[in-house]
Amino acid sequence: MPKVLIATEKAFAAEAVQKIKAEFDAAKYEHIWLENYTDVNEFYKAVADAEALIIRSDIVDEKVLDAAKQLKIVVRAGAGYDNINLPAATAHNVVAMNTPGQNSNAVAELAIGMMIYMARGKFNGKSGSELAGKTLTLYGFGWVARYVAKIAKGIGMDVHAYDPYLADDDFTSAGVKRLTAIEDIFKLGDYISLHIPANAETKKSINLSLLSLMKKGATLVNTARKEVINEEDLEKALLEKKGFRYISDVEGEKVDFFRQNFADRVFYTPKKMGAQTEEANTNSGVAAARQIIAFFEKGDTKYKVN
Ligand code: NAD
């Protein structure tokens, strides 16, 4: 009977907790809950004899892995897994997984909602514009981007996407036109939405040479990661291009400056909230539980990321 630790500095919603418990009870797995902990030492102690671990944004570094002598698998309930030290997990013979796709619709709805909010002048009572008939370009065409494309097509947007790691069929089957040059994302879009991971290739890659290509009045939407933006260049672009607008769910270092100086053209959510829905919370937690059970029962490592 594997022992699973659910360690969440910020606890799952009540419904998610209930459903995760039901999964482990049905499989007859022992499950231990460390919720809303404030001292990382509590985490080190609780993980000592766990064979499986579910986390949210909790950090799994060398110290946690050193403390987790029995650990075989860690699952991040969510999409991004930059809070897990992957090489260290591999060195400790721990399989690391995420739960891809489970919160993607939530993020996509937020991206589209923020576009409408900005198109309507932040609901200021004045005349605005519509998304229908506008061109949306997607940078990265993974889980979130596909949900964004689906909603945008329903609204009547013309959707194009760039992702060099996919086959032509991934675009045609989604009814989206494929772009083959990064520059085209910025040249064509009335709305340009970022859906790339933050890695060596993409960090600070959204720079002035790309932003300069944008159409007059274009809007850049970032529900991906703050690290992909070159903030100095974003500032230059906001100064140079008077109609350019930036919407973000991820606060960079200069968020206060941007909010103060470009109040009409910049919008940041008060905290990262793309995946903050009851549904996403429950879906990711239940998926994490099921992946752990499938790993122990069938050796299933489909969602392994290390
Ligand atoms: P995903 O892994 O499903 O999709 C990422 C896509 O980017 C993949 O198709 C990959 O081929 C592509 N890609 C990678 N490098 C690229 C490059 N250099 N150029 C073009 N394409 C590239 O991920 P996802 O779940 O769709 O998440 C997308 C982004 O959104 C990630 O940055 C993720 O961390 C972020 N995210 C944010 C929230 C939030 O709360 N705001 C929630 C979930 C995900």
Side-chain angles (χ1 to χ4, degrees), residues 232-251:
E232 284 70 33
D233 285 6
L234 177 64
E235 182 186 343
K236 285 180 197 151
L238 282 160
L239 286 168
E240 281 171 20
K241 298 170 86 77
K242 295 299 174 206
F244 165 46
R245 296 174 296 186
Y246 180 64
I247 303 172
S248 181
D249 186 38
V250 282
E251 295 186 346

Side-chain angles (χ1 to χ4, degrees), residues 169-298:
D169 187 50
D170 294 315
F171 299 85
T172 43
S173 61
V176 163
K177 291 162 200 136
R178 181 171 202 170
L179 298 175
T180 51
I182 296 177
E183 288 74 16
D184 290 341
I185 308 169
F186 291 82
K187 280 184 199 162
L188 283 180
D190 297 301
Y191 289 83
I192 296 150
S193 198
L194 305 176
H195 301 290
I196 41 175
N199 56 31
E201 194 186 3
T202 62
K203 276 183 189 168
K204 290 195 183 258
S205 67
I206 310 302
N207 55 22
L208 193 59
S209 61
L210 289 177
L211 296 172
S212 303
L213 301 172
M214 290 173 71
K215 285 184 194 174
K216 195 165 179 266
T219 301
L220 179 66
V221 187
N222 184 7
T223 57
R225 283 285 184 262
K226 64 176 183 180
E227 290 85 358
V228 302
I229 302 287
N230 179 323
E231 287 198 299
E232 284 70 33
D233 285 6
L234 177 64
E235 182 186 343
K236 285 180 197 151
L238 282 160
L239 286 168
E240 281 171 20
K241 298 170 86 77
K242 295 299 174 206
F244 165 46
R245 296 174 296 186
Y246 180 64
I247 303 172
S248 181
D249 186 38
V250 282
E251 295 186 346
E253 312 312 317
K254 299 181 72 161
V255 56
D256 293 336
F257 173 82
F258 287 129
R259 275 203 184 107
Q260 277 161 22
N261 289 280
F262 305 100
D264 292 346
R265 294 194 283 134
V266 159
F267 175 73
Y268 285 88
T269 49
K271 70 189 273 270
K272 187 167 164 239
M273 55 181 288
Q276 301 299 327
T277 66
E278 286 172 28
E279 293 86 348
N281 201 255
T282 303
N283 294 346
S284 339
V286 170
R290 289 184 181 160
Q291 286 171 215
I292 285 173
I293 295 165
F295 171 77
F296 284 110
E297 303 304 321
K298 298 185 276 186

